[in-house]
Amino acid sequence: MNDSHTDSGIRERLLAGFPATERRIDLAGVPTAVLEGGDGPPIVLLHGPGEFAATWMRVMPALMATHRVVAPDLPGHGASEAGEGPLKADRVLAWLGELIERTCASRPVVAGHLLGGAIAARFACDHGDRLARLVLVDTYGLGRFRPAPRFALAMARFLVRPTPRAQDQLMGACMTDLGRLREQLGDSMKLLEAYALDRARAPGQKPVLRSLMPEFAMTPIPEADLARITVPTSLICGRHDLQVRLKVAEAASARYGWPLHVIENAADDPAFEQPEAFLEALRTEIGRPLLPRAA
């Protein structure tokens, strides 16, 4: 487990009663925690930076009614370890390839959020034949990383000193109405925030982000590489995202012909803030007829 000695049982309480099974798998030398559940065509959910699989908690139960859902903690996140050596792009992409091979009986839909979306998009550039669909949610790498000053300042403060106050400021920049979410989710939200703060304070978290963010967020994916993605691809974006501005998603949609769903009353995590609207957009894309595979 990733610096599990600091956890103090928060993760177990967070996942208590959650309708998914947790297991650990070694993937490309990375001991990985994976949440799985449901039956049907596989869908893989990849979370954002500094997060963990349980941040999909508001959409996973509904998806598990129709799909086999696989939600890993990314390398060095949550209960997954970083393994030996730096987390360079090729190693992380090998990790995703092994995750799909070990957990999916057929080509999956892969939905990636922020950092998870950038990993999924880079994987699809060369391995689109291993995916059924690609859904990019407020994804890094589709353009230059130019967050709004409010978000950039809150993120910098939290990274330097992850205190409850700094976390409040950062989450306030990531959500359109943090107070409403806390009222809606009650103890679940408290545990989610407590676990996120615990992970941010773990000794290994900063080195992991220092490796992954330059690899997948700071450097845009070349347009020629994105143009090579042949798997059906779509975009979902919160209208008020301060990290990946809506204009980035709009430009990618226009350039590559990818359908774009804009989620109202959401910032950079529409699956968490507006789960019903997110599920409607995702199901619309999953329901589109698949094009015949190239020979």
Side-chain angles (χ1 to χ4, degrees):
M1 184 178 291
N2 180 24
D3 302 305
S4 60
H5 61 281
T6 65
D7 187 320
S8 303
I10 302 171
R11 182 183 179 89
E12 287 71 19
R13 283 180 283 152
L14 175 63
L15 296 178
F18 192 69
T21 301
E22 183 177 22
R23 65 167 166 152
R24 308 299 166 91
I25 318 173
D26 189 278
L27 303 170
V30 175
T32 302
V34 182
L35 297 180
E36 298 173 290
D39 292 302
I43 180 167
V44 174
L45 303 175
L46 303 177
H47 62 75
E51 297 180 350
F52 34 88
T55 54
W56 295 101
M57 63 188 297
R58 302 197 75 192
V59 298
M60 277 186 68
L63 290 173
M64 286 190 291
T66 54
H67 288 76
R68 179 67 177 172
V69 180
V70 177
D73 288 349
L74 293 179
H77 287 68
S80 293
E81 298 179 20
E84 297 296 329
L87 286 172
K88 296 298 184 181
D90 57 351
R91 186 163 168 241
V92 176
L93 298 180
W95 169 88
L96 178 54
E98 290 194 18
L99 174 75
I100 291 169
E101 181 180 352
R102 295 278 297 278
T103 64
C104 301
S106 58
R107 293 184 299 145
V109 174
V110 174
H113 174 227
L114 293 170
L115 175 62
I119 293 169
R122 288 183 184 272
F123 184 85
C125 290
D126 293 312
H127 305 290
D129 60 327
R130 299 179 63 182
L131 309 180
R133 291 190 181 279
L134 177 65
V135 182
L136 303 177
V137 185
D138 296 82
T139 286
Y140 294 154
L142 302 182
R144 294 187 64 183
F145 184 55
R146 291 178 171 173
R150 177 190 170 198
F151 174 84
L153 181 59
M155 179 177 65
R157 286 174 173 168
F158 184 69
L159 290 175
V160 170
R161 193 177 180 203
T163 65
R165 181 178 179 182
Q167 184 185 44
D168 278 352
Q169 293 174 339
L170 179 58
M171 293 192 67
C174 292
M175 308 288 176
T176 58
D177 193 340
L178 181 57
R180 177 183 61 84
L181 284 171
R182 286 172 170 165
E183 289 180 4
Q184 284 181 341
L185 299 179
D187 288 343
S188 294
M189 188 69 175
K190 290 179 182 178
L191 286 170
L192 196 79
E193 292 183 74
Y195 188 58
L197 184 60
D198 176 88
R199 295 294 82 200
R201 289 171 166 173
Q205 186 74 94
K206 288 182 182 179
V208 164
L209 292 177
R210 282 198 295 265
S211 292
L212 293 180
M213 291 297 285
E215 291 281 299
F216 291 100
M218 308 303 182
T219 304
I221 304 171
E223 292 182 10
D225 289 351
L226 291 171
R228 290 192 289 109
I229 295 178
T230 57
V231 63
T233 299
S234 54
L235 304 165
I236 300 177
C237 189
R239 181 170 293 281
H240 305 291
D241 187 347
L242 299 180
Q243 290 198 65
V244 181
R245 312 304 290 272
L246 178 57
K247 63 183 180 181
V248 173
E250 291 173 334
S253 176
R255 183 177 297 116
Y256 306 110
W258 297 338
L260 169 62
H261 299 263
V262 180
I263 307 300
E264 302 296 339
N265 301 311
D268 65 45
D269 195 349
F272 195 80
E273 279 202 272
Q274 301 294 339
E276 293 84 6
F278 176 86
L279 285 167
E280 181 180 357
L282 183 61
R283 286 170 174 152
T284 295
E285 294 309 314
I286 291 174
R288 292 183 189 273
L290 287 172
L291 297 175
R293 294 179 65 183

